[in-house]
Amino acid sequence: FAVVSFGSLASDPASKLRGELPEVLERAAAEELIPVSIVLGDQLTGEALRSRAQGLEDRQQRRQTMIAALKMHARSTQIRLAARLNDAAGRGAAREVRSLWLSNLMAAELTREEILAVAEFEDVSHINWAPPVDVFLGQRLNRATPPPSPLDRYKESLSGVDADIECGTELMRAPE
């Protein structure tokens, strides 16, 4: 009969490194900058988020209220992490530091040492390796054959459709 304390596992920095990130860190040079996303544990979702706009009848007003709540929540919960990442950027241990308020995470390119230091933060839920992903669906301008992509199976369904990718919740008709 064994007793396992999940509390100690949750605070173990190594347990916060997800997916291929531990292997990437093993192979990385000391000063190499590794793209990561850092997910904070305090998420504003579900009923807690919907309650911020409770009673508002106008759809646009509800949407704006929830967006403002998400941005304010991200700003208030990311203060320590943002300060650490900005300091690291000043020392050359980070670059491309940005806050992503919708999912309350921060993205950056960090050294191995900096990733391990950030994993020590109690308010960090987990850290993902976030390598750049090619999402270009149109015809390439050069003759080189691109490597296979998981999106290849969708190309046939896009024939005759404008394949330019545009982002934005309005464009996706998300408010509807």
Side-chain angles (χ1 to χ4, degrees), residues 22-164:
E23 183 180 342
V24 171
L25 293 180
E26 280 181 28
R27 295 172 185 244
E31 299 305 313
E32 185 176 349
L33 293 174
I34 302 162
V36 294
S37 61
I38 306 158
V39 181
L40 281 87
D42 188 350
Q43 297 287 319
L44 181 58
T45 59
E47 191 54 41
L49 176 59
R50 285 188 294 276
S51 70
R52 305 292 174 103
Q54 190 172 15
L56 298 176
E57 296 296 323
D58 181 64
R59 177 183 225 143
Q60 185 65 17
Q61 189 178 11
R62 276 194 320 265
R63 180 175 172 273
Q64 293 302 322
T65 299
M66 287 196 284
I67 288 171
L70 286 166
K71 286 180 177 181
M72 186 171 27
H73 182 76
R75 261 192 309 272
S76 67
T77 58
Q78 294 175 4
I79 291 172
R80 273 188 59 223
L81 179 58
R84 171 68 189 228
L85 297 179
N86 288 324
D87 177 63
R91 292 182 280 110
R95 95 175 151 211
E96 300 293 327
V97 175
R98 55 212 177 277
S99 169
L100 302 162
W101 55 266
L102 185 60
S103 296
N104 198 17
L105 64 90
M106 294 195 73
E109 295 177 11
L110 305 174
T111 61
R112 174 180 44 208
E113 181 180 323
E114 199 59 37
I115 291 169
L116 295 174
V118 166
E120 299 268 351
F121 279 45
E122 286 183 31
D123 43 350
V124 169
S125 169
H126 58 278
I127 305 173
N128 301 302
W129 180 44
V133 177
D134 184 9
V135 294
F136 182 74
L137 298 175
Q139 184 174 2
R140 295 189 181 275
L141 298 177
N142 62 23
R143 295 184 187 269
T145 305
S149 162
L151 299 175
D152 287 343
R153 66 177 177 217
Y154 297 109
K155 287 182 181 176
E156 290 177 19
S157 65
L158 290 175
S159 62
V161 175
D162 182 7
D164 287 343

